Amino acid sequence: MVDLSKGQKLSLSKSGGGQLTRVSMGLGWDAVARGFLGRKRSVDVDLDASCLLFDASGQLVDTVWFQQLRSRDGSITHTGDNLTGEGEGDDEVIVVDLPAVPARVSTLVFTVNSFTGQDFSSVQNAYCRLLDTAQPRAVELARYELTGSGSHNAQVMAKLAREGGGWAMTAIGQAATGRTFRDLLPAITPHL
């Protein structure tokens, strides 16, 4: 497993040779407990993971998000919308069947945004991670801590881009503002 920092690139070739075939991007977070006079409670924060599919010219081809849980071609699936961040492990997961991604798609961009509008100072323990899910037991390949708590309410997390005969992941970690992926398109464009 590799802890990624902003801008770091990771090839998705298997260490023994060959290419990865099935990966998932997991997003996890917890609401920050705030208190007054010894009483602490957390306010629900609805973070949303999205995957945007782009062609080589930077045109948006398709999206996978809480309102469309599957790409039109079926190669990418969102397992469902978590409205609170409650629970252990990944709160939202996007599964990618890499060989099934259409050839015209050159880049997959993963984003996270606060649909309810709270900024990232309302969350803690936020991360995204890439797993090899073609194995009988998933293997974590890379983890990117979303440590940029602050006044922004969205982040362009990472991208997978075709490279040679396979794919490479780049951690982006760019703070942005927006309640859905549509609001993030201007922040995504420089990374394509």
Side-chain angles (χ1 to χ4, degrees), residues 20-139:
L20 293 175
T21 58
R22 187 174 169 92
V23 297
S24 68
M25 178 69 73
L27 168 65
W29 75 94
D30 296 311
V32 172
R34 300 187 189 261
F36 182 70
L37 298 175
R39 293 182 173 164
K40 286 194 173 187
R41 70 179 196 92
S42 59
V43 175
D44 291 345
V45 178
D46 179 10
L47 295 187
D48 292 317
S50 302
C51 179
L52 289 70
L53 294 73
F54 292 92
D55 66 17
S57 67
Q59 294 299 308
L60 185 62
V61 174
D62 200 358
T63 56
V64 176
W65 61 310
F66 73 88
Q67 289 188 351
Q68 180 181 317
L69 297 177
R70 189 175 191 85
S71 60
R72 288 188 288 272
D73 59 67
S75 65
I76 302 172
T77 305
H78 192 303
T79 60
D81 191 16
N82 181 320
L83 303 176
T84 63
E86 286 187 24
E88 295 298 315
D90 299 337
D91 295 308
E92 294 194 9
V93 178
I94 297 175
V95 179
V96 181
D97 181 353
L98 290 168
V101 173
R104 75 181 197 134
V105 174
S106 63
T107 306
L108 308 174
V109 177
F110 295 90
T111 64
V112 61
N113 53 274
S114 173
F115 184 73
T116 46
Q118 292 110 319
D119 63 40
F120 280 10
S121 67
S122 299
V123 296
Q124 61 188 353
N125 306 321
Y127 65 88
C128 70
R129 64 188 191 138
L130 187 72
L131 297 108
D132 177 356
T133 52
Q135 306 300 318
R137 184 173 178 192
V139 176

